[in-house]
Amino acid sequence: MITPKNPVSRRNFLTATAAFGAAGLAAPALAQSYDPYTGQPLQGAAGGATPDAGMVQIDQTQDSRRNISSFRMQDWQPYFSNLKNGAILVDLTSRALHYWSEDQSVYKLFPTSVPVSADLTRTGRTEIIKKVKGPTWAPTPEMKKRNPEWPDFVPAGPDNPLGTHALWLSWQYYRIHGTHDTRKIGRKSSNGCIGLYNEHIQQLYDLTNIGTQVLLI
């Protein structure tokens, strides 16, 4: 993963809890802390394998609504010269992933999560180099340096940050993967990877091949 240029000091992490109700029912406590990369407040309750599991970034300087106007079908031709091995376009603005099969018989459009900050965002062309069902997870060296309390290894399962399926990209440490925390989709909530609902990453996993083209814009 990319090292943040100006990570927020751990001393700046603030934690608070508040009870809230929904539809007349008691709801879980709301944990409040701050994202170490952007300084923006995080909403949600940690409790998964990593401290940021279940956390959703809230950027108070921007409209938090999804960019619905750009979440629509796209033509592949402005972005790819051909569809050899199929093609994936990830639009970070609309937080959407587009897929076209090589013979153009299949087109899919999925909502995604995107990186929490520009420092962790990478754009450009890459490709799928590996496909894993039931992925395990380990923090990158930079993640471990920033968060030494994080586990060295997380097995496949409901606490795994990569969800049920993962697609390795040619960029080191970058993935397109699932997530068990559905609140992350449609938001700035990843450390650099692109996240999908588990049911969507399973579809994409079945459709893609080693060598499928990927473009992040």
Side-chain angles (χ1 to χ4, degrees):
M1 304 296 289
I2 301 172
T3 304
K5 294 178 181 177
N6 296 296
V8 177
S9 169
R10 289 176 186 227
R11 292 192 298 270
N12 293 336
F13 271 73
L14 301 177
T15 303
T17 58
F20 67 97
L25 299 176
L30 183 67
Q32 184 73 50
S33 59
Y34 288 80
D35 188 87
Y37 306 103
T38 66
Q40 295 297 336
L42 292 168
Q43 178 177 305
T50 62
D52 64 344
M55 305 300 272
V56 175
Q57 177 177 339
I58 299 175
D59 189 341
Q60 296 177 330
T61 66
Q62 297 182 9
D63 186 341
S64 62
R65 293 173 297 180
R66 295 177 187 173
N67 187 356
I68 298 175
S69 64
S70 60
F71 191 82
R72 59 191 178 195
M73 183 174 180
Q74 296 279 3
D75 182 4
W76 63 271
Q77 291 177 317
Y79 306 101
F80 301 95
S81 60
N82 60 68
L83 291 178
K84 184 179 180 181
N85 293 321
I88 291 172
L89 172 70
V90 178
D91 186 337
L92 298 172
T93 300
S94 61
R95 302 169 192 176
L97 182 150
H98 305 260
Y99 168 80
W100 297 269
S101 63
E102 183 171 356
D103 62 4
Q104 302 186 52
S105 65
V106 178
Y107 170 77
K108 294 288 185 179
L109 173 59
F110 300 126
T112 72
S113 63
V114 297
V116 299
S117 69
D119 287 344
L120 294 173
T121 300
R122 185 164 183 173
T123 58
R125 297 186 185 277
T126 179
E127 65 180 65
I128 295 173
I129 62 170
K130 182 179 177 181
K131 300 172 57 177
V132 178
K133 183 177 181 180
T136 59
W137 179 85
T140 67
E142 289 299 322
M143 283 182 179
K144 193 66 176 177
K145 185 185 299 182
R146 294 191 300 268
N147 305 279
E149 73 281 7
W150 283 17
D152 294 327
F153 177 82
V154 179
D159 286 335
N160 194 288
L162 301 185
T164 61
H165 299 70
L167 305 173
W168 265 238
L169 304 180
S170 62
W171 298 334
Q172 189 178 27
Y173 303 133
Y174 282 81
R175 316 276 188 261
I176 299 173
H177 61 79
T179 179
H180 298 295
D181 185 353
T182 58
R183 295 172 299 172
K184 289 179 176 285
I185 303 303
R187 298 178 183 272
K188 295 180 178 181
S189 58
S190 84
N191 285 320
C193 295
I194 302 300
L196 281 74
Y197 290 117
N198 280 330
E199 57 266 34
H200 290 164
I201 190 61
Q202 182 174 353
Q203 292 180 44
L204 191 64
Y205 180 95
D206 292 339
L207 289 168
T208 54
N209 303 300
I210 303 301
T212 292
Q213 306 172 68
V214 179
L215 171 61
L216 276 73
I217 61 171

